[in-house]
Amino acid sequence: MIDISESVMQFLLAFLLVGPLLGAAAALLPAPPGLRGKSPDQAVLRHGVTVTGAVLVAAIVLALGFDHDQPSKMQATTDISWIPALDVRIHLGTDGISLPLLVLTALLTFLSALHTYFKPPAGPSPKAFVALLLVLESGTLAAFAVLDLILFFLAFEMVLIPMYFLIARWGGEGRAEAAWKFVLYTLLGSVVMLLGLLLIGIKAGTFDMVALATDNGRSLTVSVQIIAVLAIGTGLAVKTPMWPLHSWLPDAHTAAPTVGSVLLAGVLLKMGTYGFVRILLPAAPDGFRTFAPYLAAFAVVGIIYGSLACLALAKEGAKGDLKRLIAYSSVGHMGFVLLGIATMTPTGVNGALFANIAHGLITGLLFFLVGALKDRTGTVDLDALSRLSSGLRSATSGSAATSGSAVPGRLPAGAALYGRAPRLGGLLAFAAVASLGLPGLAGFWGEMLALFGAFDPAAGLSRPAFLVFMSIGAFGTLLTAAYLLVVVRRVCMGAPPEQAPALTDVRGHEFAAWTPLVVLTVVTGLWPGALIGLTDPAVQQLLTGGTR
């Protein structure tokens, strides 16, 4: 770690929020003659890489300057009056809970910009694409850095417009309907959430998250807390997404461009679960305790539902879309996050925060890999990728079964990535086993801690009920392993077809973009204490209102 003054830390955090907005405005301006390169399009794509790279460097320096001996303390704070009549303030800061999410957002956005530079989006001018990408980054970073309820709501809504256009203008088939569904679901949830935020702020006399966490619900009656949790929780559950409010997610992921899917799964979903931890747990603990069993029940239903949906998509003849399968897997994985939060214990909440980061790394990598697979094969249909013929061999053809096939009338089972593009196949298998929670990789610890939290929930919660939830969640891990191994078998294994078209293996820019995600998945899996050491003191303080 390095010693950085508080004023520099304040500047770095402010730059994370303002820098992308300035970069977005600059992206829409004509490039100076000396920076145009081969074309204006190349110039604006390079501009996106430069701005997101600068933001990532600032996030890393902020993390290095963070006082890791006091992760529960808000650092790099700025507190300026904005709307005095409503006591709304521009209050910024970061602690052990938000810092990992800030770095994750900056990293995934930079990798998305790098991917876009080498693989420009098919559609309208890249100028608008880069500008929207930067606005999206600013809104997401703001959601994790602001400490005022009204500012959090504004940041929460700020991401809707750029993501809508990224899907609607640069997405694939069904993009218009998917974009509208995404906006309508999230907007309706946000309207209810705003009412809950206003209720808490007015009744408590402040919109400041730090003050609300310190008060720990003492200024709010139980009935007010229950209403606030119901209203705010609904809006957060839509964004998470929690079953049964999840139906916008598979359509959005299926239609979105690759970088849209990466950012949607990697960081936007985290805004919902972050709100549960940052706002509801400390500000309305009694109301949250009332709804915790129901939240846990919805969470484990989502785990099983998401896994069964993935199994249905993965089976032969289902014409399952691989992007859609990964989207449904996110419903299951975020179920573990919600289960951990519902336990209201340090173990469960730490597991939820760990699973958030692990899901961002692993699912971001999966969507990058699926995008690369589609670029090479032209499809993400599992039946097409596994090269299975739906019918029997024609009786009049008189031809023998295709060489390498074990079943007459079928082409060889498996797109054979191991044989045709071994590095790409190996990375896909790595991401799959990381996603199923293999010990030693990042996906393991969050799910395990969430289940441990359910084994011994907080006081006032029914332990028998949570033991049932824990058992159902544990069964969900088996289903997760089942569908991911089926995907690996169908896509990666099998004898290569005769005269199969060549598949380009991992390219240099892809290797550069994916390596950080692979390394971090391994490092956080082998050294979980680095992340838990940041989150645990902050979680302990949030759950006790700073009284420990």
Side-chain angles (χ1 to χ4, degrees):
M1 302 303 113
I2 56 178
D3 185 20
I4 300 178
S5 67
E6 182 67 14
S7 60
V8 174
M9 293 284 283
Q10 292 171 343
F11 171 79
L12 289 172
L13 186 59
F15 176 75
L16 291 183
L17 278 56
V18 178
L21 288 179
L22 297 176
L28 299 175
L29 300 175
L35 299 177
R36 288 177 184 171
K38 296 179 181 178
S39 68
D41 287 351
Q42 186 193 52
V44 75
L45 294 173
R46 186 171 58 244
H47 170 79
V49 175
T50 303
V51 174
T52 56
V55 171
L56 176 59
V57 170
I60 293 173
V61 175
L62 181 71
L64 292 175
F66 186 83
D67 185 356
H68 290 252
D69 293 329
Q70 302 183 72
S72 61
K73 175 186 174 183
M74 281 294 170
Q75 302 180 35
T77 55
T78 299
D79 192 2
I80 304 171
S81 179
W82 184 34
I83 307 177
L86 298 176
D87 195 28
V88 177
R89 310 182 66 81
I90 300 177
H91 192 183
L92 310 177
T94 185
D95 63 357
I97 292 173
S98 58
L99 183 64
L101 290 167
L102 290 171
V103 177
L104 176 68
T105 301
L107 173 63
L108 287 178
T109 310
F110 170 71
L111 298 181
S112 296
L114 187 65
H115 176 275
T116 303
Y117 179 78
F118 288 99
K119 183 66 179 177
S125 167
K127 276 182 174 289
F129 187 94
V130 171
L132 291 168
L133 188 69
L134 292 172
V135 172
L136 182 68
E137 178 180 36
S138 177
T140 310
L141 288 168
F144 300 137
V146 298
L147 297 172
D148 184 277
L149 294 181
I150 302 301
L151 286 184
F152 176 81
F153 175 78
L154 294 177
F156 199 83
E157 295 300 285
M158 183 177 172
V159 303
L160 291 184
I161 294 176
M163 183 54 72
Y164 167 80
F165 282 108
L166 287 176
I167 297 172
R169 299 297 300 277
W170 288 273
E173 185 178 353
R175 59 183 182 270
E177 294 82 358
W180 273 112
K181 199 171 184 179
F182 163 73
V183 167
L184 289 176
Y185 266 74
T186 309
L187 193 60
L188 289 174
S190 298
V191 170
V192 180
M193 183 178 77
L194 177 60
L195 297 177
L197 294 174
L198 291 174
L199 177 63
I200 285 182
I202 292 171
K203 291 295 184 179
T206 181
F207 291 99
D208 187 87
M209 293 184 189
V210 176
L212 289 168
T214 303
D215 184 69
N216 205 222
R218 287 183 283 270
S219 299
L220 303 173
T221 64
V222 174
S223 59
V224 168
Q225 290 188 37
I226 289 174
I227 296 171
V229 170
L230 181 61
I232 298 171
T234 299
L236 297 174
V238 171
K239 183 70 69 98
T240 296
M242 180 186 77
W243 180 91
L245 304 174
H246 69 283
S247 60
W248 62 268
L249 183 69
D251 292 338
H253 271 309
T254 303
T258 296
V259 298
S261 293
V262 169
L263 294 176
L264 182 59
V267 292
L268 262 67
L269 303 188
K270 313 304 178 281
M271 295 168 67
T273 52
Y274 175 78
F276 277 107
V277 175
R278 177 65 75 193
I279 300 172
L280 291 184
L281 270 178
D286 294 329
F288 194 91
R289 188 173 289 106
T290 300
F291 286 103
Y294 303 100
L295 178 63
F298 283 127
V300 296
V301 169
I303 292 170
I304 300 301
Y305 172 83
S307 298
L308 292 177
C310 290
L311 278 171
L313 290 169
K315 70 179 182 180
E316 297 180 7
K319 294 189 176 298
D321 185 292
L322 192 50
K323 287 186 72 176
R324 196 172 189 86
L325 185 148
I326 298 172
Y328 273 112
S329 77
S330 292
V331 176
H333 288 304
M334 298 312 289
F336 281 102
V337 176
L338 291 173
L339 177 61
I341 295 171
T343 68
M344 299 184 71
T345 63
T347 300
V349 176
N350 278 305
L353 295 172
F354 198 103
N356 257 346
I357 301 299
H359 179 263
L361 295 172
I362 297 167
T363 307
L365 177 60
L366 276 170
F367 276 117
F368 273 132
L369 291 166
V370 172
L373 194 58
K374 185 174 183 180
D375 290 340
R376 288 158 170 78
T377 64
T379 183
V380 287
D381 182 273
L382 271 171
D383 285 343
L385 289 171
S386 61
R387 297 188 175 277
L388 289 175
S389 174
S390 60
L392 295 175
R393 180 181 53 182
S394 171
T396 59
S397 66
S399 60
T402 306
S403 174
S405 175
V407 181
R410 287 187 175 181
L411 293 174
L417 281 186
Y418 287 157
R420 300 169 66 194
R423 293 182 182 85
L424 183 61
L427 282 170
L428 182 61
F430 170 83
V433 297
S435 185
L436 64 82
L438 184 73
L441 298 176
F444 171 74
W445 294 104
E447 295 180 2
M448 184 195 72
L449 290 173
L451 294 175
F452 277 2
F455 180 77
D456 188 17
L461 298 178
S462 170
R463 192 178 184 216
F466 273 83
L467 287 175
V468 172
F469 299 146
M470 182 196 72
S471 301
I472 296 173
F475 178 66
T477 62
L478 301 179
L479 295 179
T480 302
Y483 71 74
L484 285 169
L485 292 176
V486 168
V487 168
V488 171
R489 177 183 63 81
R490 298 190 66 195
V491 176
C492 296
M493 300 180 182
E498 288 185 349
Q499 299 179 342
L503 283 184
T504 305
D505 213 339
V506 178
R507 301 181 178 97
H509 70 273
E510 293 171 333
F511 181 80
W514 302 341
T515 296
L517 301 179
V518 173
V519 171
L520 288 172
T521 298
V522 174
V523 170
T524 52
L526 295 177
W527 189 24
L531 185 55
I532 296 174
L534 274 177
T535 61
D536 184 56
V539 167
Q540 296 272 5
Q541 182 162 301
L542 275 184
L543 292 176
T544 58
T547 59
R548 67 181 181 87

